[in-house]
Amino acid sequence: MDASSAAGRGSETNTKTANKTRTPGRTGFLMMSPFSDKTTFVMYYEIVPILFVLPRKIKPLPPWLTWVRRAARIWAIPDMFRSAQQRQAKKLMRRAVLQAYLGMRKNHGGPFGAVVARNGEVIAKAHNMVLKTHDPTAHAEVVAIRRAASKLKRFDLSDCEIYSTCEPCPMCLAAIYWAGIRRVHYGCTRKDAEKIGFRDRRLYDLIKKRKSPAVQKIKFERWDCLKPFEEWTRKKDRVIY
């Protein structure tokens, strides 16, 4: 056999090998996927690479591994199409959920948690502490706002967002308004809270119908109470909030 024939056969073998390598098999498709730079897909490879690399020709997959393989694919699909902000919001909400578990299991209060964040960074986290502090206003959102304001040393939290495991009650919504927070992320609704015994929906309905709650209001001595107001208007170093 001459050198030219050997070289020809060698080049032919290399060509076949290259074509075989470029064949978009199951593993090749995943590695060349445009989503491969996403965090979820990187984690996906690290956690379950064996589910996609095992060749079927060597040995059939056992039924349990087949179902795990399918479940892993389904698990990765939702996060594939989420933006970076959506993934960050999901992480922050999970922190709030952990706070809800913590407070509930320690009997500090109901199953509610909240996180105040700024630019994706956790500023304060809290859970409901009504039972622990004997304070009916110690809802998770209120406690989180108090801690965030104390940490930042300012009452204006307009550059922050709050993540709550449940739709804020009217009191918490008012606290969020006074703090200047412009975006609220919440999980459960007031109807969900009502199903487990909390009466947030009742307060919302009273506000919607413009009816006063079951509290007797008595107005008197208005003129004496107006005097501090008048002095406040004359105060030069007053701060409006």
Side-chain angles (χ1 to χ4, degrees):
M1 182 183 300
D2 56 356
S4 59
S5 300
R9 290 188 179 184
S11 60
E12 183 180 356
T13 303
N14 294 335
T15 304
K16 290 182 179 180
T17 305
N19 293 334
K20 186 177 181 181
T21 304
R22 288 195 296 265
T23 303
R26 188 175 299 273
T27 305
F29 171 77
L30 286 172
M31 296 302 293
M32 293 186 293
S33 171
F35 302 106
S36 59
D37 59 334
K38 296 287 184 71
T39 304
T40 50
F41 249 79
V42 172
M43 293 175 62
Y44 195 52
Y45 288 138
E46 293 176 356
I47 295 174
V48 284
I50 191 66
L51 304 182
F52 297 94
V53 176
L54 280 177
R56 294 184 178 180
K57 294 182 179 180
I58 297 177
K59 187 178 181 181
L61 294 175
W64 66 269
L65 185 56
T66 303
W67 283 107
V68 170
R69 184 174 180 171
R70 293 175 181 175
R73 290 178 185 173
I74 296 173
W75 168 75
I77 287 174
D79 285 342
M80 282 168 43
F81 303 101
R82 285 195 175 101
S83 64
Q85 291 181 344
Q86 289 174 330
R87 291 196 295 272
Q88 183 66 41
K90 186 175 181 180
K91 291 180 181 179
L92 292 170
M93 183 60 79
R94 286 178 177 175
R95 298 285 293 271
V97 172
L98 291 176
Q99 284 294 311
Y101 278 120
L102 180 64
M104 177 183 60
R105 292 170 180 173
K106 289 188 174 182
N107 292 324
H108 289 177
F112 305 100
V115 168
V116 175
R118 181 181 60 182
N119 298 327
E121 178 186 357
V122 175
I123 303 299
K125 54 187 179 180
H127 53 261
N128 188 291
M129 300 187 69
V130 171
L131 300 180
K132 179 178 175 60
T133 61
H134 309 289
D135 180 0
T137 68
H139 290 196
E141 297 92 332
V142 174
V143 177
I145 289 172
R146 289 172 180 169
R147 291 178 178 175
S150 177
K151 181 177 181 179
L152 297 176
K153 292 181 172 54
R154 53 186 170 89
F155 57 81
D156 183 11
L157 302 179
S158 57
D159 57 345
C160 298
E161 299 180 354
I162 190 166
Y163 294 79
S164 176
T165 57
C166 187
E167 184 178 3
C169 72
M171 179 190 69
C172 295
L173 195 59
I176 291 169
Y177 170 81
W178 283 114
I181 298 175
R182 300 177 182 177
R183 181 172 294 179
V184 180
H185 306 260
Y186 66 93
C188 302
T189 65
R190 67 188 79 164
K191 294 181 179 179
D192 298 325
E194 184 182 19
K195 291 178 181 178
I196 61 173
F198 293 90
R199 54 183 185 274
D200 300 23
R201 187 181 179 187
R202 179 188 173 191
L203 293 174
Y204 270 108
D205 292 342
L206 289 171
I207 294 172
K208 186 177 181 180
K209 296 177 182 178
R210 296 185 178 180
K211 292 183 179 180
S212 299
V215 177
Q216 186 180 9
K217 297 192 299 182
I218 302 172
K219 177 183 176 183
F220 79 111
E221 300 293 341
R222 177 173 178 265
W223 297 109
D224 288 340
C225 297
L226 277 174
K227 292 179 181 179
F229 281 26
E230 294 172 358
E231 185 175 336
W232 170 261
T233 59
R234 296 191 301 268
K235 185 176 171 62
K236 295 182 179 181
D237 59 344
R238 66 180 184 271
V239 178
I240 303 297
Y241 56 90

